[in-house]
Amino acid sequence: MGYRFIEVDPLTPRIGATVSGVQLAEMNDDVFEEIHAAWLKHLVLFFRDQKLSHEAHLALGRRFGELHIHPAAPYEGGDPALMKIYTDANSHRNNGEGWHSDVSADECPPMASILQIHQTPSSGGDTLWASMYEAWDHLSEPMRAFLADRQALHVADYTGYYGAHSPQRESPRSLHPIARKHPETGRTALFVNSGFTKRIDGLDREESSSLLRMLFEHVKNPNFQCRFRWTPNAVAIWDNRCTQHMAVWDYYPETRHGIRVTVKGDRPVSQ
Ligand code: SIN
């Protein structure tokens, strides 16, 4: 597709693209329409040097849909929709260290996440994304047939995860299809992740854990991935319905700080 208002430069043929020629806080509906089309095609988009106030960041999220409130994460500016991403020399872990799709344990998990990193370490702190369309398509036909109508249990447990911060609500748990049909593209995505998926429904414990272990390894294939090197005030917008991501913590004891606005999705349906 040709674009009239934006330039789109793919990071890989399968996932990720950098978009230039736009300030997200100032775009009109025509520009948003092109960004939305590019987002469905490339799954995660990157925008450098963005001037986004808290209000503009929230308004950008609302262009995609109703905002999602994280069950337990600390937030900024008194607004729980402004999730804080912060790691420094006193941290014992970072946010999003393992492969995951954001809060997939929610009954209606987030469709989009919009992260701006304000402060970057002098090097490192990259984020990786993987295409779950590719992960699904690269399973063998018999494995796809076996998984096609199965569901898996996703469980979040934030007990003690965010220190003294009191949770916004109870930690969720939900059964979701393993082969998820994307509501906008119609493509099938593998929808299990090592962060939240605990059990394949209907299998015994050993069968379930062996199969999940295989799938968690499968999604780490570098051929399904892109990797983004942050610069201060860059923004990433990703589609949680068809990707997973992980944030690398290789910059201790330096500080990395950003804000994520997240958008509610629909209840996952099978292919
Ligand atoms: C997350 O939203 O999982 C954090 C991603 C990051 O910090 O790069």
Side-chain angles (χ1 to χ4, degrees), residues 83 85-87 94-98 100-102 113 115 117 125-129 230 236 238 240 245-248 251 256 258 260 262:
M83 178 180 169
I85 302 288
Y86 185 87
T87 315
N94 69 337
N95 258 290
E97 55 205 325
H100 67 287
S101 170
D102 289 327
S113 297
L115 174 63
I117 295 293
D126 296 356
T127 309
L128 282 70
W129 281 265
W230 292 92
W238 63 90
N240 284 296
H245 58 283
M246 66 157 299
V248 179
Y251 51 89
R256 180 178 182 272
R260 192 181 93 194
T262 312

Side-chain angles (χ1 to χ4, degrees), residues 129-260:
W129 281 265
S131 165
M132 292 304 105
Y133 294 142
E134 295 296 328
W136 178 256
D137 290 348
H138 284 83
L139 290 169
S140 65
E141 197 284 324
M143 182 54 72
R144 288 200 302 268
F146 178 77
L147 295 174
D149 294 319
R150 296 194 185 273
Q151 296 206 303
L153 178 66
H154 295 234
V155 180
D157 181 4
Y158 294 110
T159 317
Y161 195 76
Y162 291 107
H165 178 79
S166 315
Q168 281 76 254
R169 56 186 164 95
E170 261 183 45
S171 290
R173 54 193 292 139
S174 302
L175 266 184
H176 292 311
I178 292 176
R180 180 178 187 180
K181 182 174 177 173
H182 193 290
E184 295 185 85
T185 66
R187 291 184 68 185
T188 303
L190 180 64
F191 197 64
V192 294
N193 68 83
S194 58
F196 296 107
T197 313
K198 303 299 176 202
R199 183 87 194 247
I200 297 180
D201 198 36
L203 302 191
D204 77 26
R205 190 169 294 280
E206 262 311 306
E207 289 170 341
S208 166
S209 60
S210 301
L211 194 45
L212 282 177
R213 209 174 311 121
M214 182 279 285
L215 293 172
F216 296 159
E217 280 306 308
H218 175 69
V219 304
K220 293 184 199 162
N221 184 333
N223 293 323
F224 310 156
Q225 293 176 14
C226 69
R227 179 174 183 135
F228 185 62
R229 179 158 200 197
W230 292 92
T231 44
N233 301 322
V235 170
I237 307 179
W238 63 90
D239 188 336
N240 284 296
R241 300 166 294 187
C242 55
T243 66
Q244 295 187 31
H245 58 283
M246 66 157 299
V248 179
W249 190 25
D250 54 359
Y251 51 89
Y252 182 87
E254 291 192 50
T255 300
R256 180 178 182 272
H257 176 213
I259 295 179
R260 192 181 93 194

Side-chain angles (χ1 to χ4, degrees), residues 41-162:
K41 181 171 178 196
H42 297 284
L43 323 189
V44 50
L45 297 180
F46 306 106
F47 305 79
R48 299 219 183 255
D49 300 319
Q50 294 294 311
K51 293 187 190 72
L52 269 189
S53 62
H54 287 349
E55 290 67 33
H57 199 161
L58 293 164
L60 176 59
R62 287 194 198 97
R63 277 192 178 266
F64 286 84
E66 191 185 337
L67 300 185
H68 172 269
I69 304 299
H70 194 280
Y75 47 87
E76 301 215 355
D79 187 336
L82 293 166
M83 178 180 169
K84 184 172 173 170
I85 302 288
Y86 185 87
T87 315
D88 70 10
N90 299 313
S91 301
H92 301 291
R93 51 163 197 82
N94 69 337
N95 258 290
E97 55 205 325
W99 284 100
H100 67 287
S101 170
D102 289 327
V103 201
S104 67
D106 264 341
E107 190 182 339
C108 295
M111 57 115 104
S113 297
I114 305 171
L115 174 63
Q116 182 168 42
I117 295 293
H118 299 282
Q119 183 178 356
T120 55
S122 52
S123 65
D126 296 356
T127 309
L128 282 70
W129 281 265
S131 165
M132 292 304 105
Y133 294 142
E134 295 296 328
W136 178 256
D137 290 348
H138 284 83
L139 290 169
S140 65
E141 197 284 324
M143 182 54 72
R144 288 200 302 268
F146 178 77
L147 295 174
D149 294 319
R150 296 194 185 273
Q151 296 206 303
L153 178 66
H154 295 234
V155 180
D157 181 4
Y158 294 110
T159 317
Y161 195 76
Y162 291 107

